[in-house]
């Protein structure tokens, strides 16, 4: 039996009651679109590193650039995306803007993801 056959049913049958139960509880199109953008933010190594840093302490662009060994321009670009998908917020103090995570949910999702990866790799992540 080839691998593709393992992924398909051998007979065409729809379990109508199960489909009905799931359909009424599925998120709508707009919600899944926003969630897709949200999770896209976690798919980039640099953005993950920025979020990880901000989960520890509020930082400005200069701090993050120094921490990650990147240009302020590159960090600003990533922060713009993270603000757009509502993962970080900025607070202006004089001429400096300090960034932090939007809320505790972001930190919890980040922590759970990291714990999951560490469990899979035996703690090497």
């Amino acid at each position: 039996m080839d691998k593709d056959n393992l992924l398909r049913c051998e007979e065409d049958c729809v379990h109508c009651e199960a489909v009905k139960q799931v359909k009424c509880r599925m998120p709508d199109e707009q919600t899944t679109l926003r969630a897709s953008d949200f999770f896209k933010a976690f798919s980039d190594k640099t953005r993950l590193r920025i979020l990880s840093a901000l989960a520890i302490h509020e930082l400005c662009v200069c701090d993050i650039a120094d921490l990650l060994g990147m240009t302020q321009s590159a960090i600003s670009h990533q922060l713009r995306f993270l603000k757009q998908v509502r993962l970080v917020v900025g607070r202006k103090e004089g001429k400096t803007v300090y960034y932090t995570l939007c809320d505790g949910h972001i930190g919890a999702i980040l922590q759970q993801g990291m714990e999951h990866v560490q469990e899979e790799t035996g703690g090497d992540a």
Side-chain angles (χ1 to χ4, degrees):
M1 182 177 281
D2 67 39
K3 291 179 185 178
D4 286 340
N5 284 336
L6 292 175
L7 301 175
R8 290 185 249 162
C9 295
E10 289 186 25
E11 61 180 277
D12 190 14
C13 64
V14 175
H15 301 89
C16 295
E17 191 55 37
V19 171
K20 182 179 173 185
Q21 287 177 23
V22 171
K23 193 173 195 172
C24 71
R25 295 176 63 194
M26 289 274 295
D28 63 33
E29 195 72 27
Q30 184 63 28
T31 301
T32 55
L33 178 62
R34 288 180 60 204
S36 174
D37 286 341
F38 173 85
F39 285 113
K40 195 180 300 177
F42 292 93
S43 71
D44 179 86
K45 177 180 75 166
T46 299
R47 290 192 293 259
L48 270 178
R49 294 181 76 207
I50 292 169
L51 292 170
S52 295
L54 296 178
I56 298 166
H57 200 281
E58 175 184 70
L59 299 168
C60 73
V61 173
C62 301
D63 298 333
I64 299 167
D66 182 68
L67 181 68
L68 302 186
M70 297 177 68
T71 66
Q72 289 184 35
S73 176
I75 297 301
S76 293
H77 175 75
Q78 297 298 343
L79 285 168
R80 194 173 306 112
F81 178 81
L82 292 171
K83 275 184 75 171
Q84 190 175 19
V85 294
R86 296 182 299 173
L87 295 183
V88 301
V89 292
R91 171 185 69 80
K92 192 161 184 150
E93 189 175 295
K95 294 182 178 184
T96 305
V97 179
Y98 292 95
Y99 290 91
T100 189
L101 299 182
C102 232
D103 59 47
H105 294 110
I106 309 309
I109 291 166
L110 184 63
Q111 181 179 353
Q112 285 185 344
M114 294 300 182
E115 286 173 3
H116 175 75
V117 170
Q118 289 172 338
E119 287 172 7
E120 285 185 343
T121 61
D124 294 336

